[in-house]
Amino acid sequence: MAAVTPDDARTPAEGSVLLAVGETMAMLAPADGGGVADAVDFLVDAGGAESNVAAHAAAGGMTARWFSRLGADALGDRVLRQVAARGVDTAGVVRDVERPTGLYVKDPGRGVRYYRRGSAASALSSTDAEVLALDDVSVLHVSGITAAISTSARGFLVAAMARARSRGVTVSFDVNHRSALWSAAEAAPVLADLSARADVVFVGRDEAETLWKTPRDVDVRALFPDVPELVVKDGDIGATVFAGAERTFVPALRVEVLDAVGAGDAFAGGYLAARARGGDPAARLAAGHERAALTLRTYGDSLDDSGARRGSD
């Protein structure tokens, strides 16, 4: 399989602007990888799927922006600074004086605990969608996480996707079902509807099977025959893109996996950047695998190209 070379990754995707929207929280984790109860030092970082995708797309040559709501608090200041440091334009982010920045705590061996109810991002609404700056945007990237955090945020997501498509902006949607936020039974019809509204859809094969009882990639395609680009990821096996009547499969890179969290965000960012550079379906998948492999080979949820870690909720 052809890999994306550093020269390829630095080639500007001229005129290609990606706008990613969705919640990014402050992420707290023990610095030594131990449990929260006994930890002395902690890592405080930014954790958000959509802002991660933006950072990976920026590394691939796209102009990347991120929009959401953050609390007008110290954690919000930190999140904003950390996302911006990864090459992502954060100028449009709204600071909310009434609601806090969301927080999640990673407790190795005991799971993750979210403190996001009533967060600034949960107050996203269709009003926010109406003021999204889309004039020069070529791709709007969203995920199913936004649909799960509140009713108003789900309305924001639907309105943002509709407004983008009405303006000729490509809508990219990562299904991103989070079982901690809602059950598969509740999520399945909503995520299916959102997928059908998008131009590019990313979904894990196992995720699709859980949601829609579709065990094979071709079954997922049969469920969404009209999605222009449907990308079905199958873990360490590889990924398939269905584009029109064509089906293209590229195997995953063989790497020593240190931490799998965040690899999906990296894949989407790499794929979208290669797409903006005019790569064919195989090149897009290869670029996605390359960015995912970088993340899989590091501790922490994701990374920037200087090696710094960042989180994915």
Side-chain angles (χ1 to χ4, degrees):
M1 181 188 73
V4 177
T5 68
D7 286 341
D8 291 334
R10 288 194 296 267
T11 301
E14 303 230 349
S16 297
V17 177
L18 177 138
L19 173 61
V21 301
E23 183 170 32
T24 291
M25 296 177 288
M27 183 273 289
L28 183 73
D32 62 1
V36 167
D38 300 315
V40 175
D41 297 316
F42 288 84
L43 170 71
V44 183
D45 211 338
E50 296 86 359
S51 60
N52 271 354
V53 171
H56 284 285
M62 296 188 80
T63 297
R65 299 173 187 152
W66 169 63
F67 172 80
S68 189
R69 285 178 167 268
L70 290 171
D73 50 29
L75 287 177
D77 294 342
R78 191 177 183 115
V79 167
L80 201 65
R81 183 177 71 247
Q82 289 174 323
V83 173
R86 292 155 194 157
V88 178
D89 182 347
T90 61
V93 174
V94 175
R95 306 302 298 273
D96 191 324
V97 299
E98 297 180 355
R99 300 174 182 86
T101 299
L103 171 71
Y104 73 105
V105 179
K106 296 181 69 174
D107 193 1
R110 297 171 181 82
V112 176
R113 181 65 181 264
Y114 294 96
Y115 301 87
R116 73 198 309 172
R117 184 174 298 173
S119 70
S122 72
L124 285 166
S125 70
S126 57
T127 301
D128 292 298
E130 292 167 5
V131 298
L132 278 180
L134 295 173
D135 286 348
D136 62 345
V137 172
S138 52
V139 179
L140 174 71
H141 179 76
V142 297
S143 92
I145 297 171
T146 304
I149 62 176
S150 71
T151 301
S152 69
R154 189 179 305 177
F156 161 79
L157 189 58
V158 171
M161 294 172 75
R163 184 163 173 259
R165 293 198 76 180
S166 72
R167 297 171 69 93
V169 176
T170 296
V171 174
S172 167
F173 177 67
D174 193 331
V175 170
N176 259 339
H177 173 234
R178 295 290 192 266
S179 59
L181 296 176
W182 52 350
S183 69
E186 182 185 3
V190 176
L191 295 176
D193 176 67
L194 292 168
S195 296
R197 296 170 184 263
D199 301 294
V200 181
V201 173
F202 298 94
V203 65
R205 187 206 57 75
D206 54 348
E207 176 182 44
E209 184 173 9
T210 297
L211 289 167
W212 306 307
K213 315 304 181 195
T214 49
R216 302 173 300 163
D217 57 13
V218 292
D219 299 320
V220 185
R221 184 51 165 174
L223 186 63
F224 301 108
D226 298 322
V227 172
E229 275 181 68
L230 175 66
V231 182
V232 183
K233 302 168 293 178
D234 197 2
D236 61 0
I237 295 174
T240 301
V241 57
F242 295 90
E246 295 184 7
R247 176 181 183 271
T248 304
F249 170 81
V250 173
L253 296 172
R254 298 299 177 189
V255 299
E256 179 184 1
V257 178
L258 299 182
D259 190 347
V261 179
D265 305 334
F267 182 95
Y271 181 99
L272 292 171
R275 186 180 187 276
R277 295 195 298 270
D280 63 19
R284 299 173 190 183
L285 293 172
H289 287 316
E290 185 75 13
R291 291 305 299 181
L294 290 174
T295 301
L296 292 168
R297 289 195 292 256
T298 63
Y299 288 111
D301 293 352
S302 190
L303 80 165
D304 61 24
D305 289 272
S306 65
R309 297 186 297 173
R310 62 174 175 265
S312 171
D313 64 321

